[in-house]
Amino acid sequence: MTSALPRPRTLSLAWTHYERSPMPAFIAFPSPLGNITLQSEGEFITGCDIGRESWQPESLNSPRAATKPPPPFLVDAAKQILDYLDGDRVSFDLHVEVSGTAFQHAVWRTLASIPFGATMSYGEIAVAVGVPRAGRAVGAAVAVNPVPLLVPCHRVLGTRRDPVGYDRGAGLDTKLWLLRHESIAFQVTKPRVPSPETVR
């Protein structure tokens, strides 16, 4: 299957403060990780939520949002994510725009540079962004990444290759699913290590 994978492409990331449009668009779809909801504003993806079935953006409650179909690029983004989760894609060809501090942007840029199947530690990211002693601050920035999967915070491990600090979807179970999916070696102290099939 590896030979059939598309060539890696660069995720287009705009690290600026943006003016929110009055009517953002959404698409929600089932996946092996649970429901995934993408949010877009203009032509950019601005949010990704994994697995919280009770999560409903307020804009979805309006009659206009309920009847308006998602734009084609958002449908394509959903397909790319499902292709990745099915093992048919190793990177994304999408436009993402997120708002945050300069430090958060630096951390998220570094996350976005970690390729499929590779990892970095919090300390390595701190060095990469030029603040070697800022491991905890890096962890805080990783935790508020608004577009998980697209900016792969699941590829960050502790110094002992332990999969710590993940609260997306089903938490640690979701992170372990993604690590196994990418054949990433890790060590975990929990007595039970779930297989990808156990995360639904």
Side-chain angles (χ1 to χ4, degrees):
M1 181 175 290
T2 302
S3 61
L5 292 174
R7 295 178 61 186
R9 287 174 284 184
T10 301
L11 183 67
S12 174
L13 301 168
W15 308 100
T16 59
H17 292 276
Y18 56 88
E19 294 186 5
R20 294 189 176 275
S21 64
M23 183 57 63
F26 300 90
I27 187 170
F29 52 97
S31 82
L33 303 177
N35 285 349
I36 294 177
T37 304
L38 296 177
Q39 174 180 329
S40 68
E41 299 185 17
E43 295 296 318
F44 295 91
I45 295 172
T46 56
C48 176
D49 185 89
I50 305 171
R52 285 185 288 181
E53 296 187 17
S54 62
W55 184 81
Q56 287 292 329
E58 291 183 3
S59 299
L60 286 181
N61 296 327
S62 71
R64 178 182 172 190
T67 59
K68 184 178 180 181
F73 80 90
L74 205 53
V75 175
D76 178 66
K79 182 180 184 303
Q80 289 191 37
I81 289 175
L82 290 174
D83 286 346
Y84 159 74
L85 295 174
D86 286 342
D88 296 327
R89 174 179 286 273
V90 297
S91 62
F92 301 106
D93 185 18
L94 300 169
H95 300 290
V96 173
E97 184 170 78
V98 292
S99 180
T101 68
F103 180 78
Q104 288 172 335
H105 291 170
V107 171
W108 297 337
R109 283 194 192 98
T110 304
L111 291 179
S113 72
I114 306 174
F116 182 98
T119 63
M120 292 183 73
S121 70
Y122 295 95
E124 288 171 335
I125 294 174
V127 171
V129 301
V131 192
R133 298 180 181 274
R136 289 188 177 180
V138 165
V142 170
V144 295
N145 167 26
V147 281
L149 295 181
L150 305 181
V151 174
C153 48
H154 63 275
R155 295 175 188 157
V156 182
L157 298 179
T159 54
R160 298 180 181 179
R161 299 198 62 80
D162 46 328
V164 297
Y166 198 82
D167 63 355
R168 310 306 171 94
L172 181 60
D173 283 358
T174 295
K175 184 165 186 172
L176 295 183
W177 193 101
L178 291 166
L179 294 175
R180 287 178 174 273
H181 176 65
E182 298 187 18
S183 299
I184 294 174
F186 60 88
Q187 295 184 1
V188 64
T189 57
K190 289 180 65 176
R192 180 185 65 86
V193 179
S195 64
E197 290 76 18
T198 65
V199 183
R200 290 288 184 264

